[in-house]
Amino acid sequence: MDLPIIYHPAYVAPLPEGHRFPMPKFGKLYELLLTDGVANPEQFHTPKRPPTEWIELVHTPEYVQAYCDGTLDPKAQRRIGLPWSPALVNRTCTAVGGTILTAQLALQYGLACNTAGGTHHAFPSYGSGFCIFNDLAIASRVLQQLGLIQKILILDLDVHQGDGTAFIFQDDPSVFTFSMHCEVNFPGTKQKSDLDVPLPVGMDDDAYLQTLAKYLPDLLSEIQPDLVLYDAGVDPHAGDRLGKLALTDTGIYRREMLVLSTCVAAGYPVASVIGGGYADDLDALTYRHSLLHRAASEIYRKYHL
Ligand SMILES: [Zn+2]
């Protein structure tokens, strides 16, 4: 058995030509993991669409229904930033199912990686910033509801603050939200995570990794989570269109190794999602996202999970 990786062809839903959201990256990531020999076909697990009641553990029934039926008002639709289509509804729900499955497999095997997920700007009654339903929050609530876990740490290293996630769990001590993000970036109005670490524009590999290393071990030993949900957004990369930080590929890879080895060595299971990443060079972007799966494969073998 090798590292469980979660993928579904429905992760790619067609968008209008030239749309700024890099939708093809999900399919390209799947292909790259296979062609580079990072993963073999047997390692891939296929998620299902979750029942609506699971999505409603986080989102209001009105919002879920309006989004799925395509009846959201134009303003709410614009805030999401992705044009509605039945294929996008299917993609959105399947990706949520993917993060739920990733979390379940992480509990079983110690480590698992989705090839999508990290829609952390979604709030209970509205979507925002390319995020429609909050997969991290839904997976947390579903696994708690199933009685599989109690305490969860959401480790959000996407360059944007995990504002939706912070809001959803603001009064819930069973889910600890940690967000390390660029301080002057979307969202304009920040929410209060349990721990926010805002970073200055232009921060490079060494400063970033030192900052992370300062927080991570104490966070784990204080919270002692039953599961870590890791949002491994690659938008802190210097080449990212939206990021404003200055990490290199090596820096991203070192970050994934630091996060995964620190958690796994201490016995905490980790479910990872790929989070944000925006670049015109889709191959370079896809490679950045694959660093998570490369690092996770290495850790999975090293610790004989
Ligand atoms: Zn982001």
Side-chain angles (χ1 to χ4, degrees), residues 162-305:
D163 56 343
T165 322
F167 179 86
I168 290 162
F169 295 116
Q170 60 184 344
D171 298 318
D172 184 345
S174 72
V175 179
F176 191 98
T177 53
F178 174 86
S179 179
M180 196 165 104
H181 50 265
C182 181
E183 63 185 344
V184 288
N185 208 329
F186 181 89
T189 305
K190 307 281 190 287
Q191 299 296 321
K192 206 172 160 357
S193 309
D194 291 303
L195 181 57
D196 284 300
V197 180
L199 306 174
V201 169
M203 187 179 248
D204 66 9
D205 288 349
D206 285 340
Y208 183 96
L209 291 163
Q210 279 162 19
T211 307
L212 179 59
K214 197 172 77 183
Y215 287 100
L216 186 57
D218 290 347
L219 207 53
L220 287 170
S221 55
E222 274 164 33
I223 298 158
Q224 305 201 334
D226 301 314
L227 176 68
V228 177
L229 277 178
Y230 173 37
D231 183 336
V234 297
D235 42 15
H237 194 281
D240 196 88
R241 198 148 38 82
L242 305 178
K244 301 186 185 174
L245 296 188
L247 269 63
T248 65
D249 285 353
T250 309
I252 298 275
Y253 183 75
R254 286 168 62 200
R255 180 189 74 172
E256 315 313 23
M257 290 299 281
L258 174 64
V259 168
L260 300 176
S261 64
T262 305
C263 294
V264 169
Y268 299 107
V270 187
S272 300
V273 299
I274 68 168
Y278 309 90
D280 296 327
D281 183 344
L282 270 180
D283 289 333
L285 175 61
T286 303
Y287 178 75
R288 277 171 218 162
H289 280 300
S290 79
L291 294 167
L292 169 69
H293 307 81
R294 293 173 204 267
S297 297
E298 200 165 314
I299 296 290
Y300 196 88
R301 287 187 210 109
K302 183 174 168 197
Y303 289 91
H304 306 290
L305 294 176

Side-chain angles (χ1 to χ4, degrees), residues 54 58 96 99-101 103 134-145 149 152 227 229:
W54 283 7
V58 167
V96 168
T99 299
I100 295 168
L101 179 58
N134 194 313
D135 61 320
L136 298 161
I138 296 167
S140 298
R141 290 251 164 96
V142 168
L143 267 69
Q144 285 180 328
Q145 179 104 343
I149 47 173
I152 298 160
L227 176 68
L229 277 178

